[in-house]
Amino acid sequence: MEESEEGKSSINENEEEEKEQRVWSWGAGTEGQLGTGRLEDEYSPQLLHQLHFLSSVTVLACGGAHVLALTSGGRVFSWGRGNSGQLGHGDNNNNNNNNNMLNSCCYPKPIAFFDHHSLTHVSAGWSHSAFVSDSGCLYTCGDGSFGQLGHGDYRSHCSPVKVEYFINKNVEQIACGMRHSLVLLKDCLGNQVYGFGSGKRGQLGISTERIKSVSLPQVTNGFEDVEIVGISANGDHSAAISADRHLYTWGKGFNRTPDVHCPRCLPSSLQFTKAALGWNHALLLTGDGEVLMLGGSHHGVLSDPEKMIPAKHLSENANEAALERVAALDGVKVVQIAVGAEHSALVTGKFQDGTIMTWGWGEHGQLGLGNARDQTNPQAVSLGDNDVKNKDTKFQVYCGSGFTYAIRTLCVPSQS
């Protein structure tokens, strides 16, 4: 559910290379979110042969139990749970014959509404979805009962609807949380970030007072003189990264600290490039490839407390959650992070081996380790015989609430 700069589609391909992709999924799958065609959990990575027709997937957005796939050509596909219209297929139905799953879609299906649009960014919340076009327009669909679609009402929609509030503005990014949404505008310093939807934990950042919900976008406070380059949302948490690589967080407090109703800059000298949010924890990635963590007292989400190393760059304010390192990752360079509801994943870059590691809540097999056990330390995930690694291979990992996806992209010389 978390999103930032990587949610954009890379439209321009290298003409001298072709990209060969493989996609795997594992974890909770009873609503078709794994794309396997089977309505069951998978404890080990499953190679998805039927995803090859998607051409080049640039990003996956994984929500509560649905997935959005954005391709290099700006097309978008969706599958998984669709009971609130979050798949955007218009009829709130799937195309399989199982009467018990009329609200789900077990295989990727193009969203026909966007047949004549090119998309650059997508995000998936618990039961809603959002899309940004190359012209800077924002579209949303799915559950709108908390105002998270931004249309000025609390209705749900099974087809994408343009958010009229931003019709004369240039939307760059969208991030969907559990029941709220954040928007980042391009070239709009001071009024860059907007929030709408559920706000009871302060996750909209629009007021110091407790707000139940808002259905029209409102400016998030605290960024009047700050240039924001990335936004993230999940659960009741929100985060943003500035151009000078500072991290701002607001919403539900981590580790039982008070909720934060206005964006607060994390007091650290570290330079952050990515924030991935869960329901009770967050992973943070620095420009040096170091991973740090906030919160995480459930299911061993982050790591063994006895093996956590406090980061010494932070203040001693008791109302601020402690930022910590994991000893198991000492000396390991990380190139990507992802977070589900209560589990974490990353891709290492050491020696360009692209190892995928997972830990935390494992009840549905979302760690991909062949069992349903929780893990308090990062564990390497094997993708089987197809786990090819070389200097031309790039791995990406994405987390939904209780499931995980991995993409391997192999660049090969063009035959033309």
Side-chain angles (χ1 to χ4, degrees):
M1 288 182 268
E2 38 76 32
E3 283 299 321
S4 65
E5 295 135 304
E6 69 170 312
K8 301 178 184 177
S9 169
S10 301
I11 303 298
N12 297 322
E13 297 289 336
N14 187 332
E15 296 180 356
E16 298 180 355
E17 293 181 335
E18 294 179 352
K19 293 182 177 179
E20 176 185 298
Q21 285 193 330
R22 295 286 180 89
V23 181
W24 292 262
S25 66
W26 59 92
T30 57
E31 299 192 70
Q33 63 266 53
L34 297 184
T36 60
R38 299 184 297 274
L39 304 179
E40 59 188 32
D41 294 354
E42 300 287 354
Y43 293 167
S44 299
Q46 303 296 306
L47 179 62
L48 305 181
H49 299 281
Q50 67 273 19
L51 292 193
H52 290 177
F53 75 92
L54 292 181
S55 66
S56 181
V57 177
T58 58
V59 69
L60 293 177
C62 300
H66 73 291
V67 182
L68 307 175
L70 182 62
T71 74
S72 60
R75 298 189 70 196
V76 64
F77 295 74
S78 64
W79 63 98
R81 184 172 62 203
N83 61 320
S84 297
Q86 61 265 51
L87 300 183
H89 295 157
D91 56 3
N92 225 13
N93 285 312
N94 67 341
N95 56 1
N96 63 50
N97 295 319
N98 189 335
N99 291 329
N100 294 322
M101 291 297 296
L102 289 178
N103 292 320
S104 295
C105 184
C106 297
Y107 294 105
K109 179 180 178 180
I111 300 180
F113 179 90
F114 294 118
D115 281 352
H116 302 292
H117 296 75
S118 181
L119 301 181
T120 60
H121 199 270
V122 296
S123 184
W126 178 255
S127 293
H128 72 294
S129 302
F131 316 84
V132 179
S133 71
D134 59 358
S135 60
C137 294
L138 174 66
Y139 300 83
T140 58
C141 64
D143 179 22
S145 59
F146 287 81
Q148 63 265 51
L149 301 187
H151 301 305
D153 55 33
Y154 295 89
R155 295 173 54 201
S156 299
H157 294 274
C158 58
S159 288
V161 178
K162 183 182 290 188
V163 180
E164 296 294 329
Y165 184 92
F166 296 109
I167 199 166
N168 294 317
K169 298 178 174 63
N170 192 355
V171 175
E172 184 173 13
Q173 295 178 36
I174 175 72
C176 297
M178 172 77 79
R179 298 181 182 92
H180 75 288
S181 303
L182 301 178
V183 166
L184 177 64
L185 298 185
K186 190 174 184 179
D187 303 323
C188 193
L189 185 63
N191 292 320
Q192 275 189 288
V193 181
Y194 288 75
F196 44 98
S198 175
K200 63 181 181 179
R201 305 301 294 268
Q203 62 265 47
L204 302 182
I206 61 176
S207 172
T208 56
E209 298 180 0
R210 183 186 175 103
I211 294 177
K212 182 178 179 180
S213 64
V214 296
S215 60
L216 279 175
Q218 295 191 28
V219 175
T220 297
N221 298 322
F223 295 129
E224 291 75 10
D225 299 311
V226 180
E227 180 183 358
I228 299 300
V229 296
I231 53 175
S232 305
N234 196 2
D236 294 327
H237 299 291
S238 298
I241 292 178
S242 65
D244 56 4
R245 299 304 176 186
H246 288 129
L247 174 72
Y248 294 79
T249 62
W250 62 104
K252 180 182 176 182
F254 293 102
N255 272 349
R256 299 182 178 87
T257 57
D259 295 347
V260 179
H261 292 260
C262 185
R264 183 167 61 189
C265 184
L266 198 67
S268 172
S269 61
L270 297 170
Q271 300 288 296
F272 297 103
T273 60
K274 175 75 185 291
L277 305 177
W279 289 2
N280 294 291
H281 77 294
L283 292 187
L284 311 174
L285 183 64
T286 73
D288 294 327
E290 184 178 16
V291 174
L292 294 100
M293 310 171 200
L294 281 171
S297 58
H298 302 278
H299 301 290
V301 170
L302 297 180
S303 192
D304 186 340
E306 295 183 358
K307 297 182 179 179
M308 297 295 291
I309 304 175
K312 298 180 180 179
H313 302 276
L314 303 182
S315 73
E316 299 298 327
N317 190 334
N319 288 328
E320 296 176 355
L323 185 63
E324 298 174 300
R325 297 181 176 91
V326 179
L329 297 176
D330 276 355
V332 177
K333 182 176 182 180
V334 174
V335 295
Q336 192 204 351
I337 56 175
V339 169
E342 300 280 4
H343 75 290
S344 301
L346 57 81
V347 180
T348 69
K350 188 176 181 181
F351 306 122
Q352 298 181 318
D353 64 354
T355 297
I356 295 173
M357 306 183 80
T358 61
W359 69 106
W361 181 36
E363 179 182 354
H364 297 286
Q366 60 264 52
L367 304 185
L369 304 175
N371 57 60
R373 294 193 293 270
D374 298 345
Q375 295 290 337
T376 58
N377 285 303
Q379 306 292 320
V381 177
S382 173
L383 298 178
D385 294 338
N386 296 288
D387 194 1
V388 177
K389 300 174 183 177
N390 59 47
K391 64 183 180 64
D392 297 317
T393 300
K394 176 184 178 181
F395 283 90
Q396 295 165 283
V397 65
Y398 303 94
C399 295
S401 60
F403 61 99
T404 310
Y405 271 78
I407 299 179
R408 188 198 73 196
T409 302
L410 177 63
C411 295
V412 296
S414 174
Q415 301 299 315
S416 60

